[in-house]
Amino acid sequence: MTAVIEAHKLAYFSIPKVASTSLKELFYQIQHGRLFTKERRGVHFEAFRTEPFYRMDRERLNGFTRIAVVRDPIKRILSCYTNRVLQTRRLSAEQIDLVAAERLGVSPDPGIRKFILHLDQYRALSSSIRNHTQPTAMFLGPDLGYFHKVYRIEELDELVGFLQEQTGLALTLPREMTSEKKIDFAELTPNCQDRLREYCAADYAYLKDFYPPR
């Protein structure tokens, strides 16, 4: 389970590239009464791991307020590129199998156009890229009706307010994993835009009550 707070009967289901680091640190505050201090590998490993929905013990959460945060699917993919490719260089020559890359017809450190047009190949090369571009339903399950509270990423202040009401705590939302560079969908070439629309079509259908398709 991503974050289960027994004392307040709260359960948060995280999604990679949807403010998950900041939100896990927020729930850490609720659970421990103090800010998270990184000791080794960060909050994802030391406190709350992200898991696919099908692996979770959902019976345990009967009576819990179940919470999720969602994001525009295309923005999520673009954020994966700026953070995972440009900042942490998960597709560098040092971090991928170059023989496999050659067989797949791609090269290390792709530009945004190559990344988008060959997203399937880069997902095959990197578990990090694959994890950060999985469909939203992989982490939230087939029916958003399972959740009592679903917030858009633009509504994080509302989530913090709700959690403060529920817990009686004064909470601070950390701002973690902010990508330095922003990529605007409107600035992409038409073929890249079309590829992203195709890749994210199912996610837009899934999130139809929260984000309109591009």
Side-chain angles (χ1 to χ4, degrees):
M1 182 55 55
T2 297
V4 176
I5 313 300
E6 295 279 356
H8 299 284
K9 295 297 181 183
L10 297 170
Y12 158 66
F13 290 57
S14 72
I15 307 169
K17 300 316 301 171
V18 188
S20 61
T21 302
S22 296
L23 288 168
K24 286 180 183 181
E25 293 190 7
L26 179 68
F27 279 89
Y28 184 93
Q29 290 177 50
I30 295 173
Q31 187 175 62
H32 297 279
R34 59 181 174 84
L35 297 175
F36 175 77
T37 301
K38 181 176 179 179
E39 296 177 5
R40 298 184 303 278
R41 303 180 67 191
V43 70
H44 297 284
F45 298 94
E46 295 175 34
F48 307 121
R49 295 185 71 91
T50 296
E51 294 183 83
F53 185 83
Y54 70 89
R55 291 182 183 171
M56 296 179 186
D57 180 6
R58 296 186 293 281
E59 289 188 8
R60 176 189 175 191
L61 300 180
N62 293 334
F64 280 67
T65 298
R66 298 182 290 271
I67 300 167
V69 178
V70 296
R71 185 177 191 176
D72 178 278
I74 285 177
K75 286 185 178 181
R76 181 170 168 250
I77 299 298
L78 295 176
S79 178
C80 170
Y81 176 78
T82 56
N83 178 254
R84 298 285 100 180
V85 180
L86 296 184
Q87 288 181 237
T88 63
R89 303 195 69 234
R90 294 306 177 94
L91 293 177
S92 66
E94 294 77 24
Q95 296 199 48
I96 63 172
D97 183 331
L98 295 178
V99 173
E102 184 176 4
R103 289 175 178 171
L104 289 168
V106 295
S107 55
D109 296 314
I112 183 60
R113 181 177 180 276
K114 179 169 284 189
F115 177 76
I116 292 171
L117 296 181
H118 298 279
L119 182 56
D120 290 336
Q121 289 89 337
Y122 285 115
R123 279 169 51 83
L125 281 174
S126 168
S127 61
S128 177
I129 298 300
R130 186 163 58 253
N131 185 52
H132 286 74
T133 56
Q134 293 281 34
T136 301
M138 176 69 72
F139 304 99
L140 302 186
D143 183 6
L144 286 174
Y146 176 72
F147 295 91
H148 301 95
K149 294 284 185 177
V150 180
Y151 295 88
R152 297 183 305 138
I153 197 171
E154 294 85 1
E155 299 169 332
L156 291 182
D157 288 343
E158 293 181 29
L159 170 58
V160 173
F162 170 76
L163 292 174
Q164 290 184 141
E165 290 177 1
Q166 295 297 301
T167 65
L169 300 172
L171 301 172
T172 301
L173 179 66
R175 302 292 179 179
E176 301 289 346
M177 300 299 289
T178 301
S179 298
E180 295 177 1
K181 180 179 180 180
K182 304 295 182 184
I183 297 176
D184 190 340
F185 176 75
E187 296 176 355
L188 298 174
T189 60
N191 59 339
C192 286
Q193 292 180 351
D194 289 344
R195 174 62 180 129
L196 283 176
R197 290 190 185 102
E198 176 189 32
Y199 185 81
C200 294
D203 248 12
Y204 278 114
Y206 180 79
L207 297 171
K208 62 183 184 301
D209 293 333
F210 298 91
Y211 294 101
R214 297 297 187 108

